[in-house]
């Protein structure tokens, strides 16, 4: 686990969510159990379970009683949409605000993005 100051359960949830986004865990596939995650990361199984349950609450995973946790249908697209919204809040909104302060109109900003997006 990374020591980035976030709770371990949140890091577990983020790692599983990232694996869903990148296709490591496609829809309807089983994810590691809380015991497997706990053993791998050397953490308490309750901590791992809390991370998994967070994803259940978000609709990313669902439980099959007696079998384990599975990736929900549509989970990847929901995660991508959520991450795009987070990206816009974290990067685009401040960019647009600063561009306005500098007198850069939307068209100029688009041109600047196009230039910087060309394999720099």
């Amino acid at each position: 686990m990374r020591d980035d100051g976030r709770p371990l359960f949140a890091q577990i949830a983020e790692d599983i969510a990232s694996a869903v986004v990148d296709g490591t865990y496609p829809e309807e596939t089983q994810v590691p159990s809380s015991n497997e995650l706990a053993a791998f990361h050397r953490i308490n199984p309750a901590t791992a379970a809390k991370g998994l349950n967070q994803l259940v609450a978000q609709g990313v995973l669902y439980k099959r009683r007696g079998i384990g946790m599975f990736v929900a249908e549509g989970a990847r697209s929901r995660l991508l949409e959520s991450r795009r919204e987070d990206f816009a809040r974290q990067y685009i909104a401040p960019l647009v605000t600063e561009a306005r302060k500098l007198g850069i109109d939307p068209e100029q900003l688009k041109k600047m993005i196009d230039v910087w997006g060309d394999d720099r």
Side-chain angles (χ1 to χ4, degrees), residues 2-118:
R2 314 175 283 286
D3 185 15
D4 63 4
R6 292 182 306 138
L8 293 175
F9 76 88
Q11 293 179 47
I12 292 286
E14 179 62 28
D15 289 349
I16 298 291
S18 291
V20 170
V21 168
D22 74 18
T24 301
Y25 298 126
E27 293 178 4
E28 300 301 328
T29 60
Q30 189 170 11
V31 300
S33 70
S34 56
N35 288 331
E36 291 169 328
L37 290 167
F40 180 79
H41 294 291
R42 297 180 182 190
I43 60 173
N44 187 310
T47 301
K50 188 173 180 180
L52 291 172
N53 287 330
Q54 181 177 326
L55 294 172
V56 170
Q58 294 171 359
V60 174
L61 301 179
Y62 68 93
K63 298 176 188 181
R64 285 190 189 165
R65 190 174 195 92
I67 299 175
M69 300 278 199
F70 290 78
V71 178
E73 189 174 319
R76 183 174 186 273
S77 61
R78 283 193 301 279
L79 285 168
L80 283 171
E81 182 60 31
S82 174
R83 288 181 176 200
R84 288 179 184 129
E85 290 171 9
D86 290 345
F87 177 83
R89 266 190 302 283
Q90 187 173 356
Y91 299 104
I92 304 301
L95 174 73
V96 170
T97 299
E98 186 64 19
R100 282 188 190 125
K101 289 179 187 175
L102 298 172
I104 299 171
D105 67 41
E107 198 55 44
Q108 289 172 308
L109 184 57
K110 288 176 192 172
K111 287 179 185 174
M112 293 171 81
I113 291 170
D114 287 342
V115 167
W116 282 92
D118 288 337

